Amino acid sequence: MSAPTEANGLLEHLVFEVTEGVAGQTGAAFLHSLVRRLATALEADFVLIAALQPGGERVTTLAAFGGDAADAPKEYSVAGTPCAHVVKKRVCCYPSGIQQMFPDLHSLAEFGAEGYVGSPMVDSYGRCVGLVCAVTRQPLRHPKQAETLLQLLATHAAAELERKNYEDELVRSERHYRALVNHGNEAVLRVELDQPIALDLPDQEQLELIYRHAYVADCNEQAARIFG
């Protein structure tokens, strides 16, 4: 078997192993499962998924796995770290010598880091929303496959983060709307129909059908007090 064929076969195997392990999971469970699977696939000692904060200078840890995962900072500045290049939407791979490349980053020396690979998480609008990175204490094996694998799975992570942010925003909007409605002075009713009404009917006939089939599906406290 030729070297390119072997490399492609290895990549397909890694992708299958990771995606099978995270199938059916969403939200935080998906991200925590993803870092575990990536650590195994890449033989990495530490894997991190982080969200980029507004301004692009700091990130917030979403999931981490490895020897120092419990001590991973909840947020940190990317300045002076390999992650600074990643959040500029560049895949970065340093198969070995990462400490020498970033001598001022003492955490790399404390960890005994040797290899690093990181990929940006880019949303559907082309914006960088975070990063996925892996650190090894030994030279990174199969760096090209590691780059491609991280790029593929960073896309999945970005989509999941975008979906979660959208759902969270819907929940916040609903709570805000309900708070305004419930604490307002006006009576608010939501009226629904127990069967559809054709809009091409004469106005009078539409009104008769509305009176016949409409019911109050929801109301605020003010409406409840007024109408009992």
Side-chain angles (χ1 to χ4, degrees):
M1 183 180 294
S2 66
T5 303
E6 288 182 357
N8 291 337
L10 173 62
L11 179 60
E12 289 177 5
H13 172 72
L14 293 177
V15 171
F16 174 79
E17 287 292 317
V18 176
T19 53
E20 184 181 45
V22 300
Q25 300 186 57
T26 60
F30 170 85
L31 298 177
H32 285 289
S33 182
L34 182 58
V35 290
R36 290 195 300 270
R37 293 286 175 167
L38 276 173
T40 300
L42 298 174
E43 299 179 18
D45 297 286
F46 181 74
V47 178
L48 172 78
I49 296 177
L52 186 63
Q53 295 184 6
E57 299 297 329
R58 300 183 67 83
V59 295
T60 302
T61 298
L62 300 177
F65 182 81
D68 287 2
D71 300 324
K74 297 304 179 184
E75 71 171 65
Y76 64 93
S77 171
V78 297
T81 75
C83 298
H85 302 295
V86 178
V87 296
K88 300 300 183 184
K89 298 200 294 187
R90 300 207 308 263
V91 178
C92 293
C93 184
Y94 307 101
S96 63
I98 189 68
Q99 292 183 47
Q100 291 72 33
M101 295 177 188
F102 296 88
D104 295 331
L105 193 58
H106 302 302
S107 58
L108 293 176
E110 293 170 1
F111 186 74
E114 183 65 27
Y116 173 95
V117 59
S119 176
M121 292 160 50
V122 180
D123 69 8
S124 58
Y125 297 96
R127 302 171 301 194
C128 181
V129 294
L131 61 93
V132 182
C133 67
V135 181
T136 60
R137 290 190 172 103
Q138 300 295 325
L140 187 66
R141 295 184 63 191
H142 312 296
K144 289 299 181 184
Q145 286 80 2
E147 284 185 47
T148 305
L149 179 64
L150 240 62
Q151 282 183 279
L152 290 171
L153 297 175
T155 300
H156 289 287
E160 181 57 29
L161 180 60
E162 190 172 9
R163 183 199 65 78
K164 183 178 181 302
N165 288 341
Y166 178 73
E167 287 188 350
D168 290 346
E169 185 58 36
L170 281 180
V171 170
R172 283 192 294 269
S173 297
E174 183 178 350
R175 287 175 180 170
H176 179 66
Y177 166 77
R178 188 158 291 278
L180 288 175
V181 168
N182 285 337
H183 295 93
N185 294 322
E186 298 82 7
V188 179
L189 304 172
R190 189 178 87 242
V191 177
E192 295 186 359
L193 300 168
D194 56 18
Q195 71 177 50
I197 295 175
L199 297 179
D200 57 353
L201 294 173
D203 291 346
Q204 186 60 37
E205 190 173 345
Q206 286 189 44
L207 287 173
E208 291 176 0
L209 290 173
I210 288 172
Y211 282 123
R212 186 184 307 169
H213 298 292
Y215 64 94
V216 176
D218 197 5
C219 70
N220 67 350
E221 294 178 3
Q222 182 73 355
R225 284 194 294 268
I226 293 173
F227 299 108

